[in-house]
Amino acid sequence: MLVLGIESSCDETGVALYDGCLGLVANRLHSQVDLHAEYGGVVPEIAARDHIRRVLPLVREALAEAGRRASDIDGVAYTGGPGLIGALLVGAAVGRSLAWGWGVPAVAVHHLEAHLLAPLLEAPVPEFPFLALLVSGGHTQLVAVRAPGEYRIIGESLDDAAGEAFDKTAKLLGLGYPGGPALAALARDGDPDRFRFPRPMTDRPGLDFSFSGLKTHALRTFRDEPPGPALAADVARAFEEAVVDTLYIKCRRALRETGFDRLVVSGGVGANRRLRERLVRRLDARVFYPRPELCTDNGAMVAFAGYLRLRAGERQPPAFGARARWPLDSLRAPDASLLAGEEAADVAAVPPDE
């Protein structure tokens, strides 16, 4: 089965092709960073209009990259939510229309499920069950994963997501947009011993997060300290250390509570180098990541998640829509009997005995 995946939930247009026997055979991406930079954040209307311009050319590029034709495609997957509603509707309209025109089934993919399953595109493939840390600009969640579609959220952010806190702190330090990667780069030059910021909600039981107060603490430190050439870098280092340490503490606690010995980390903040090092070196668990380009929004994760659900018999009716909000734990598990042992590449992603 060859599945076309379309991602358009925010400010990146992603198109990819996933082959059930060969794996990922094409992956094309267009980022809108330059369009939104002058506004300091994503402008929804601009995002939707740019998706309209980019998505069909990217489909053609993906087909050319894989050496395939439209007639080779067996199904279409598109991000159905959560995300910016206008941007989502572009991908949904194009994806459902292409499927209708080609006479193949379509399926709406949950954006967070796609992120959560992205590490299954890599080798070695994490076996189920595992703990997942979904950490991005819009979400910070700890999820107990028993199988594809069987998700139980055991911890989440009560206010700002980690990526959102990164971006907002970067903005107050004058780093512009997108702020997260810029703050992480600046933090490399910071003095790790100058400031120690609090680790929010780690001094009490539970697995929830809160990063809004940490952002405020960074702002006050930056304003109250005597200005100097190293101040911004030192604040950035203290902020990054606090976020990374908080995520590490909560992951360690969640692994103990669930009894799992595998951790999957996905989402844009999952590409943070310091976070990866901390989790790999200090957790008593195997840690799995997708490659950095599959941490941020992309079509490959949508194509793969859609492939699993299409192969299990899920179909989108001709009428389509999108959801700005869509709880991850509201998803149903695909029919496991239909997922078992159909094609060679699937055995790695979904064990035959499930």
Side-chain angles (χ1 to χ4, degrees):
M1 175 180 279
L2 180 67
V3 174
L4 173 73
I6 298 174
E7 156 62 16
S8 66
S9 64
C10 191
D11 61 341
E12 278 138 347
T13 314
V15 174
L17 289 166
Y18 182 84
D19 185 296
C21 290
L22 302 176
L24 187 64
V25 293
N27 187 28
R28 310 296 294 178
L29 183 71
H30 171 75
S31 173
Q32 300 177 4
V33 165
D34 291 342
L35 287 177
H36 301 288
E38 64 178 296
Y39 304 102
V42 177
V43 181
E45 180 66 18
I46 293 175
R49 290 177 179 273
D50 198 57
H51 287 309
I52 294 171
R53 287 192 292 267
R54 303 292 180 176
V55 64
L56 285 176
L58 287 174
V59 170
R60 289 191 287 268
E61 290 178 19
L63 287 168
E65 179 184 342
R68 307 295 182 90
R69 297 174 296 179
S71 58
D72 296 323
I73 292 176
D74 300 303
V76 177
Y78 57 86
T79 304
L84 302 176
I85 193 65
L88 288 166
L89 284 170
V90 174
V94 171
R96 194 62 192 85
S97 298
L98 289 175
W100 179 269
W102 293 335
V104 298
V107 67
V109 168
H110 194 291
H111 182 71
L112 295 184
E113 179 177 51
H115 270 303
L116 188 152
L117 296 175
L120 276 69
L121 287 164
E122 309 288 18
V125 176
E127 296 180 0
F128 297 97
F130 56 74
L131 175 70
L133 172 65
L134 291 172
V135 57
S136 67
H139 300 85
T140 301
Q141 295 180 334
L142 285 166
V143 186
V145 181
R146 290 285 177 185
E150 294 187 21
Y151 311 127
R152 181 170 62 93
I153 297 173
I154 59 176
E156 59 188 332
S157 180
L158 304 179
D159 40 56
D160 290 353
E164 183 181 6
F166 262 99
D167 287 340
K168 289 179 177 178
T169 303
K171 189 172 183 178
L172 70 89
L173 293 177
L175 299 179
Y177 173 85
L183 187 146
L186 180 63
R188 293 173 196 157
D189 298 325
D191 181 352
D193 299 318
R194 181 174 179 183
F195 303 117
R196 178 176 171 80
F197 288 3
R199 276 55 173 162
M201 298 184 69
T202 59
D203 58 349
R204 68 194 74 175
L207 298 172
D208 288 333
F209 303 90
S210 174
F211 294 108
S212 180
L214 185 60
K215 173 195 63 185
T216 303
H217 188 90
L219 173 62
R220 288 175 177 169
T221 302
F222 187 63
R223 288 179 174 176
D224 295 346
E225 287 292 316
L231 178 60
D234 294 343
V235 169
R237 179 62 178 266
F239 174 83
E240 184 184 49
E241 284 286 348
V243 172
V244 166
D245 209 30
T246 299
L247 293 171
Y248 157 71
I249 292 169
K250 295 289 186 170
C251 285
R252 182 183 61 188
R253 189 178 295 175
L255 287 165
R256 290 173 178 171
E257 290 188 12
T258 59
F260 295 164
D261 61 1
R262 288 176 290 272
L263 173 69
V264 160
V265 183
S266 55
V269 181
N272 181 279
R273 179 179 59 86
R274 204 173 303 280
L275 175 63
R276 291 191 174 208
E277 292 175 353
R278 183 72 49 83
L279 296 178
V280 169
R281 291 180 180 178
R282 296 181 61 181
L283 283 179
D284 185 20
R286 294 190 65 189
V287 183
F288 299 85
Y289 297 93
R291 70 201 77 164
E293 59 265 32
L294 298 187
C295 287
T296 53
D297 294 347
N298 63 87
M301 66 183 191
V302 176
F304 177 64
Y307 165 78
L308 293 179
R309 291 193 170 271
L310 285 166
R311 190 177 132 217
E314 293 193 20
R315 301 291 186 268
Q316 194 74 24
F320 66 88
R323 307 186 198 184
R325 298 181 181 274
W326 188 2
L328 178 64
D329 51 7
S330 69
L331 294 179
R332 294 183 300 108
D335 187 336
S337 65
L338 294 174
L339 285 173
E342 182 181 281
E343 292 172 302
D346 311 333
V347 176
V350 184
D353 59 351
E354 293 200 335

